[in-house]
Amino acid sequence: MYGKNDSGRHFNFITQSRFLTIPNITLSSAFDTIYLVPLHGAISTYVDDTLNAGDAPFLSSVHNILKNYSTHRPDHGSIQFAGICACSDDAGVHCDAGPYAFTIAALPLTPPLSSPFADPKSLHFLAAKLFWVGPVARPDIPTNATQLANMPSPTGADARRANDTLATLIRLPITLHYPKLDPATLQASVFADYSGSAVSPLPKRQVGFLFALVDASHRFFLLHSASHRPHRVCRGSCAGELLALADAVAAALDVRLLLQELLSRRIPMAAYTDSSAAYDLITSFKDPTDMTGKNDLFMLRRALLDGTIRALHVVHGAQNPADALSKPTFARPAPNDALNEALSSGMLRPLIRAHTTSADYRNAPRPRAEA
């Protein structure tokens, strides 16, 4: 908290009670900082900052509350914060990291690049700067940043990789688009991938996933992406794939609940993996040989059984956009281009090899118990 005598904290408590005076407003059961009126609008609060969106009557009610505070300066249309730009128009909202990238300086390189880097802290500092832009505007960057930040003994080659990542940020500008989708055909799509094996060093193992809101036209906008080390040891790649998919589904549940509260309708979820082994385990009744993935497997089976996941799909590895979140660009083999293609085209339509729906799984014949 900041401000004299925790002023921001007290401000937050005061405004909470005033927001509740808006007709039919309720506190979201998914997030305790979000208030909403179903089908009309929502308010998100963080200490003394608020973000609100909705129809004209809802916004008018919020304005009548906030106008009593001279500390608030409303921003509309285009907003820039810490170098990240967000603008809105009739097509939707767009986020861009262009101005931020030009404020970052590259690292000095001294040959030979195979020798230890002279200033590891500066490399980790650059990785942290790169990571900042990822969750907001460049989901293709955090994988590199995470790998570089976790280098225990970086070399000059690692510093060059950091500079290459920065150059990519500047040379290939990508704008995240949040278009207006068809509310009647919305679906939450979850993609997950894992990179690593039983013999891979821990810094080289990576979990990556994303989830997006998609409509029948296959237009989408990204709700969340993640790229990080696995939070527990996976003895094999299949257990890692199960962990990544379970993490992705778990991360999507709260956001989906919020959207369902706001739209007053159920939003189905589809999960995608490029691991045939993980898909076969989830859709069968086999026990895993690698017990480190047992809990994730049972969680995913339960989600498919009760309809939390409406359908589970296995896609071609070249079509999985989460691949770029589990492998850095300097990995060999390099990640596919599915994520960049999706971000550039605004369309998310992977090639599906096989799928199982919740209804199919519930009605599948169970194996007979042995006598």
Side-chain angles (χ1 to χ4, degrees):
M1 297 299 175
Y2 58 90
K4 186 177 180 180
N5 296 325
D6 281 343
S7 58
R9 181 170 177 264
H10 292 298
F11 173 86
N12 189 34
F13 289 147
I14 293 171
T15 53
Q16 281 185 353
S17 60
R18 298 198 176 186
F19 286 144
L20 292 174
T21 62
I22 298 175
N24 301 317
I25 198 167
T26 60
L27 183 64
S28 169
S29 58
F31 300 97
D32 59 6
T33 58
I34 295 181
Y35 303 82
L36 57 92
V37 177
L39 301 176
H40 291 284
I43 307 168
S44 176
T45 66
Y46 179 75
V47 190
D48 60 349
D49 294 317
T50 62
L51 175 66
N52 51 82
D55 56 22
F58 178 82
L59 294 179
S60 177
S61 298
V62 176
H63 173 72
N64 290 335
I65 294 173
L66 296 182
K67 70 180 181 181
N68 297 317
Y69 301 97
S70 59
T71 57
H72 271 66
R73 186 191 68 186
D75 293 313
H76 303 283
S78 296
I79 302 172
Q80 183 168 329
F81 177 75
I84 307 297
C85 291
C87 62
S88 62
D89 54 29
D90 292 339
V93 179
H94 318 277
C95 291
D96 184 88
Y100 175 76
F102 290 100
T103 65
I104 306 175
L107 297 172
L109 301 179
T110 304
L113 297 182
S114 58
S115 61
F117 189 58
D119 187 7
K121 287 186 178 180
S122 64
L123 171 61
H124 296 154
F125 190 49
L126 174 57
K129 289 181 177 181
L130 293 171
F131 191 80
W132 155 246
V133 74
V136 183
R138 287 297 294 264
D140 56 325
I141 294 298
T143 310
N144 282 19
T146 302
Q147 289 273 334
L148 293 167
N150 289 316
M151 291 287 182
S153 302
T155 64
D158 296 321
R160 184 177 63 182
R161 290 168 180 146
N163 287 346
D164 291 343
T165 304
L166 175 60
T168 300
L169 189 63
I170 298 173
R171 186 179 69 254
L172 300 175
I174 293 177
T175 299
L176 276 188
H177 299 286
Y178 297 86
K180 296 179 180 179
L181 304 179
D182 177 17
T185 61
L186 289 180
Q187 171 185 281
S189 294
V190 174
F191 294 82
D193 197 24
Y194 172 80
S195 177
S197 67
V199 297
S200 300
L202 289 179
K204 299 293 185 181
R205 303 181 190 185
Q206 196 85 356
V207 167
F209 64 83
L210 63 89
F211 64 90
L213 208 56
V214 188
D215 66 8
S217 69
H218 301 287
R219 293 181 305 141
F220 78 100
F221 61 71
L222 195 63
L223 292 173
H224 179 66
S225 63
S227 179
H228 55 78
R229 287 186 185 181
H231 54 75
R232 66 169 179 272
V233 174
C234 299
R235 298 188 183 278
S237 59
C238 183
E241 297 283 359
L242 291 171
L243 172 63
L245 192 57
D247 281 357
V249 171
L253 289 177
D254 285 340
V255 177
R256 188 182 72 154
L257 176 58
L258 172 63
L259 292 172
Q260 290 179 158
E261 291 177 333
L262 187 58
L263 299 176
S264 293
R265 60 177 296 269
R266 182 173 177 80
I267 298 177
M269 181 188 299
Y272 297 80
T273 179
D274 58 11
S275 171
S276 296
Y279 173 82
D280 290 340
L281 271 178
I282 297 169
T283 57
S284 69
F285 302 96
K286 304 174 185 176
D287 289 327
T289 55
D290 183 353
M291 299 307 288
T292 59
K294 180 181 68 174
N295 290 340
D296 298 317
L297 172 61
F298 291 162
M299 175 269 198
L300 292 167
R301 281 180 179 172
R302 183 66 186 177
L304 186 60
L305 184 66
D306 64 17
T308 300
I309 299 175
R310 187 180 68 172
L312 176 65
H313 305 274
V314 58
V315 299
H316 287 278
Q319 297 285 319
N320 186 1
D323 186 64
L325 299 174
S326 67
K327 302 180 185 69
T329 56
F330 46 81
R332 294 294 179 269
N336 63 40
D337 292 327
L339 178 60
N340 284 336
E341 290 176 1
L343 294 175
S344 300
S345 66
M347 306 288 284
L348 193 57
R349 192 173 187 175
L351 184 61
I352 297 172
R353 294 166 50 197
H355 77 280
T356 298
T357 66
S358 178
D360 292 339
Y361 188 60
R362 284 196 303 270
N363 297 325
R366 269 44 175 179
R368 294 182 179 180
E370 295 182 2

